[in-house]
Amino acid sequence: MSYRRASIIDLAKALNVAPSTVSRALADHKDISEVTKQRVTQLAKEWEYQPNHLAAGLRSGRSGILGVLVPHLTGYFYPEVVHSITSEAAKAGWHVMICESNEDEKQEAKSIALLLNAQVEGILVAMAQATRNTQHFDSPHRQHIPLVFFDRVPPKTTHSAVLLDDYRGGYNLTAHLLEQGYRRIAYLTGPLHVNSYANRYQGYCDALAHYGMPVDEALTYQADLNLSTGRAAMADLLLHSPRPDAVLAAKDTAAVGAMQVLQEHSLRVPQDVAVASFSHDTFTTLAAPTLTNIDHQCAALGRTAVRLLLEQISTPTSPQVARQVILSPMLVVRASSLAQKHLAPLVEVS
Amino acid sequence: MSYRRASIIDLAKALNVAPSTVSRALADHKDISEVTKQRVTQLAKEWEYQPNHLAAGLRSGRSGILGVLVPHLTGYFYPEVVHSITSEAAKAGWHVMICESNEDEKQEAKSIALLLNAQVEGILVAMAQATRNTQHFDSPHRQHIPLVFFDRVPPKTTHSAVLLDDYRGGYNLTAHLLEQGYRRIAYLTGPLHVNSYANRYQGYCDALAHYGMPVDEALTYQADLNLSTGRAAMADLLLHSPRPDAVLAAKDTAAVGAMQVLQEHSLRVPQDVAVASFSHDTFTTLAAPTLTNIDHQCAALGRTAVRLLLEQISTPTSPQVARQVILSPMLVVRASSLAQKHLAPLVEVS
DNA sequence: CTGAAAGCGCTAACAA
DNA sequence: TTGTTAGCGCTTTCAG
């Protein structure tokens, strides 16, 4: 009654052939006769033969596993990207092993080691926020395991990376608001020493400049963005006179906070004040009005990262030139930023 | 210049000891002298020795990997549970390999096989919605690999499982609303052939009965719940006279839709109509007012599932009694359901 | 088209 | 306390 997994050797014995023949038959090798293949696959199915990945990997030196290391699996963004990564990898016949660094440098270094132990053939990383010393990212390379960054990259890295063009996103959002007729656009930014926040802000400034508008420092608000800082910022901004006619937030939760405060002051969105933001969490489509923002392209990000990695894996001889792929962000225009003139009939109704 | 990973054999040669000594030293085995341990770990560090997980697993018959199979990694719930699973597993020294079934029976069966090939020592599964034929869940057992379900379980399964008490959730939410003084509580349910929806609804009915209230069929609305069906349901319900003074939605997006419609009709939440819902997505804390709901206990779910699985792994001899763990849901009371009397001062102000 | 034999890197009896 | 030896299950030359 005690059941043991069937091995290739078991199959070989039962069929009176050599293990190598079974192995080849199962791999659909060219020079195995159809008859033998039939017999082998038949019995394999009957016995529920499951190949032992560990043994195959040990022997062939190929694990067929890609490692993925993300800061965390909470919120909207990373789960979505990981989802895209696993699908794309599966399509190409690869497994994926996922680790979380929990935004911690120590755990990140440990995870890299863990993935290398698991004999992954390539690694995708979104760096932890806390990471200062980045030398643990070099060990894969020394073992000829390619590493590709996505979303979060160490400064001046020599690795390949897939990124979203934050500057372009800030520029496009601002240009959109200007084109809709908004003129006093407030900006809520996160800490400006964080690269992507700085880039978004620069895009905002440049767009204003491009349209001949001044950057009014009084309309820029820097904070660790979330719902309550978004609320506080908006409350502050409403004290200005003339008050801003649009608010651009570098994070969507802050935008929601701003919108709440506007509604509490009986200001209409978008007729009195437009709201727009970065990032693209589900709730932005649930807000009323729905929120204009930048689509972070999670799917494209994951897909591109996998392709880049597989490319590096398949060309181990090449000089491993680092390739930085910058994805263009997509502006998603929704109700919260549609100019007055478009909504004029509605205004008269209400 | 061509670098090869250092192996135990390399270390052994260099140190003039046997491979087994190195192996034991690295494993911190009792009867290896401190001196030898020092020498070994020292050189291992210097050479950046990385143990080969594949080889160790093959030899020891232990992979140290747990398999996780979820319907998808999008939305709020599953990423959160997976996060909890990986943390808990890591704490106990286990790796985790994650697969997505994409709610598809075929992919689910394939993923189970994949995990078995990877020599996982145990499997956690949340079943795909589309799965009718559940026999692929039996193959792990035949190979003495324990399988534990969480969240989504096949009907009449003989496996262990960790579940949320949907009935209790429905009951508690309803009781809370009744205790707050609401009397005409409408109910938005998903398809009642889905177990958890049926249980939630039963809890609602029983709570009403317990407080001596009738179940008014006209206040029950069945649909595939989302934002727009939530809106439609609410619009319908407002035609009733007298109109409901509370709405309980079996899914949070539907509750958001209902709240939007209420606001559009200038009905105040919670003074005129209370709103509460199941599930606990981030945006329920961003809504205005914040939404009362049931906490789905993602962290506890993941943690419990891992513990149950590890328990089964560590006691392979035991008769493997299936254990069903039912987690008590937690009622999270927020602004959307606080009774009129508590908010009376605010009402006078506005 | 198939078989024999070696060995991937590690661990665990058993022996010393 | 350490060494010797064998082998986990598979793949892959090389030889028929």
Side-chain angles (χ1 to χ4, degrees), chain A residues 327-346:
Chain A
L327 297 178
S328 291
M330 193 163 73
L331 181 64
V332 181
V333 176
R334 298 212 193 83
S336 71
S337 72
L338 287 177
Q340 289 91 328
K341 57 178 173 181
H342 293 177
L343 297 172
L346 279 176

Side-chain angles (χ1 to χ4, degrees), chain A residues 21-22 32 37 45 85 97 114 119 122 131-132 170 177 197 209 232 242 255 297 310 322 335 345:
Chain A
T21 304
V22 175
I32 293 288
K37 279 184 190 170
K45 183 176 284 176
I85 288 174
M97 182 163 259
L114 229 57
Q119 310 295 115
T131 299
R132 296 286 165 271
L177 290 171
Y197 283 130
Q297 310 269 52
L310 291 181

Side-chain angles (χ1 to χ4, degrees), chain A residues 1-5 48-58 62-63 65 72-76 79-80 82-84 86-87 95-98 100 102 112-119 139 142-145 227 231 253 256 260 263-264 281-283 285-288, chain B residues 1-5 48-58 62-63 65 72-76 79-80 82-84 86-87 95-98 100 102 112-119 139 142-145 227 231 253 256 260 263-264 281-283 285-288:
Chain A
M1 204 46 214
S2 173
Y3 175 93
R4 216 188 88 243
R5 286 177 66 135
E48 291 192 64
Y49 166 72
Q50 305 269 12
N52 184 329
H53 203 260
L54 263 38
L58 178 58
R62 296 212 36 227
S63 68
I65 301 177
H72 52 82
L73 276 179
T74 58
Y76 173 80
E80 202 72 22
V82 166
H83 174 69
S84 158
T86 52
S87 323
H95 281 205
V96 162
M97 182 163 259
I98 301 160
E100 297 177 86
N102 290 312
I112 292 278
L114 229 57
L115 291 171
L116 290 175
N117 295 357
Q119 310 295 115
S139 51
R142 261 178 264 127
Q143 306 179 17
H144 308 295
I145 303 296
L227 184 77
R231 291 183 58 98
T253 46
V256 171
Q260 286 178 7
Q263 276 160 3
E264 287 160 16
D281 205 330
T282 335
F283 63 76
T285 65
L286 296 174
Chain B
M1 204 48 214
S2 172
Y3 175 93
R4 215 188 87 244
R5 285 177 68 134
E48 293 193 62
Y49 166 73
Q50 304 270 10
N52 185 330
H53 203 260
L54 263 39
L58 177 59
R62 295 210 41 226
S63 69
I65 301 178
H72 51 81
L73 276 180
T74 59
Y76 173 78
E80 203 72 24
V82 165
H83 174 69
S84 158
T86 52
S87 322
H95 280 204
V96 161
M97 181 163 259
I98 300 160
E100 296 178 86
N102 289 312
I112 292 279
L114 229 56
L115 290 172
L116 290 175
N117 295 356
Q119 309 296 114
S139 50
R142 261 177 265 127
Q143 306 180 17
H144 308 294
I145 302 296
L227 184 76
R231 291 183 58 98
T253 46
V256 171
Q260 286 178 6
Q263 276 160 2
E264 287 161 16
D281 204 329
T282 335
F283 62 76
T285 64
L286 296 174

